[in-house]
Amino acid sequence: MLNELIQNAMHSSPQGFLGVSLIAIYFCVIVATAFYRIGKGDHMHH
C-alpha cells in the first residue's frame, strides 16, 4: 500500500508530490507524538 502511494506520488505533479510528502510527514509526527505521550504516561493525568 505504501509502495503504491509512493509510486503514484512520483507520477504526479510537483505540487501533488509535495502535498503527499507533507501529509506523510504530518502523519508520522502525529503517530510519533502519540507513542511518546503513551510511553511517558501523560494520558493518565486527569
Side-chain angles (χ1 to χ4, degrees), residues 2-35:
L2 185 58
N3 188 28
E4 184 177 347
L5 178 64
I6 293 170
Q7 285 179 351
N8 289 340
M10 294 300 242
H11 295 297
S12 68
S13 65
Q15 293 87 358
F17 180 75
L18 180 63
V20 169
S21 300
L22 291 176
I23 290 169
I25 291 168
Y26 183 64
F27 177 73
C28 290
V29 169
I30 290 172
V31 171
T33 302
F35 280 120

Side-chain angles (χ1 to χ4, degrees), residues 5 9 16 44 46:
L5 178 64
M44 300 300 285
H46 294 280

